[in-house]
Amino acid sequence: MISATLMKHLRRLLRFSLISLGCAALTVPALRAVEPRLTIAYEGKTTTFSGAELSMLPHQDVTAFDFHEKQSHLYSGVPVRDLLAKAGVQFGEKLRGKKLRMVVLVHCRDHYDIAFALAEFDENFNDRTILLVDRQDGQPLPDALGPVRLVVPGDKRPARWARMVTTLEVISVGEDSTR
């Protein structure tokens, strides 16, 4: 039989544990809400966007076939060029010469990394719009794909359709030549 003193201590411990769990449950969603969903690194500066900030930006919709799921979905997201422009990346007539050596590295939470030439995001070089999507078929992305995903319409292989995107890093490749 358990003594009255031991029962009293067990009840206190249980009460403290429940209160602690309740406090943790209240603070974890609040912390997630302010965590950056996307970071853009360019020329030594870092620009971050929260989920709320991304959702407030103008979105475009595209219907595209998901090769992994073998079905089409309606995706809604922000054009990557718009996000890069907000971080200071220049497009249009400014994208020439050495700037054509710029590459956008896409880093994902699952350690998947891909690269794009910066010119692929410029409408003067390319007719397609690459989107960073946060919605699929009118719903937030599932956890296994999000919170944001890169959708690259027109790619014959979906290898650059990156899920769980965390960072866009804009770098220059190649060396300066003295020719």
Side-chain angles (χ1 to χ4, degrees):
M1 190 164 260
I2 300 176
S3 73
T5 305
L6 182 57
M7 282 299 287
K8 181 179 174 183
H9 288 300
L10 286 174
R11 278 191 217 116
R12 282 186 185 166
L13 180 61
L14 179 62
R15 204 173 318 136
F16 176 77
S17 297
L18 290 174
I19 290 170
S20 297
L21 284 172
C23 289
L26 290 174
T27 57
V28 169
L31 286 174
R32 283 189 189 138
V34 296
E35 286 178 2
R37 288 229 175 156
L38 179 70
T39 301
I40 300 175
Y42 175 61
E43 292 186 340
K45 297 183 298 179
T46 301
T47 305
T48 58
F49 295 92
S50 69
E53 290 170 322
L54 285 173
S55 68
M56 298 286 288
L57 295 173
H59 279 51
Q60 290 184 13
D61 294 341
V62 64
T63 299
F65 186 76
D66 184 323
F67 289 88
H68 297 291
E69 294 182 13
K70 308 282 189 255
Q71 64 181 10
S72 291
H73 292 287
L74 175 65
Y75 296 101
S76 181
V78 180
V80 173
R81 81 173 139 256
D82 294 354
L83 294 166
L84 293 172
K86 286 187 175 298
V89 177
Q90 295 180 336
F91 293 102
E93 293 300 317
K94 302 273 186 179
L95 185 55
R96 63 180 186 200
K98 290 181 182 180
K99 294 219 181 234
L100 288 173
R101 296 188 320 200
M102 303 295 285
V103 173
V104 178
L105 299 175
V106 180
H107 303 287
C108 304
R109 191 174 64 228
D110 62 355
H111 305 288
Y112 191 69
D113 299 310
I114 55 175
F116 290 87
L118 180 60
E120 290 186 75
F121 298 100
D122 191 317
E123 55 199 10
N124 293 316
F125 286 88
N126 197 328
D127 286 334
R128 75 171 164 197
T129 300
I130 300 170
L131 296 176
L132 188 73
V133 303
D134 55 2
R135 301 190 74 73
Q136 174 180 301
D137 299 325
Q139 301 296 317
L141 288 175
D143 288 340
L145 299 177
V148 290
R149 176 183 191 184
L150 205 63
V151 172
V152 188
D155 272 8
K156 291 183 179 182
R157 279 189 61 213
R160 299 192 304 174
W161 283 46
R163 61 187 180 155
M164 298 182 276
V165 174
T166 60
T167 307
L168 303 177
E169 181 182 7
V170 184
I171 63 168
S172 182
V173 296
E175 295 181 28
D176 286 333
S177 175
T178 56
R179 297 188 232 170

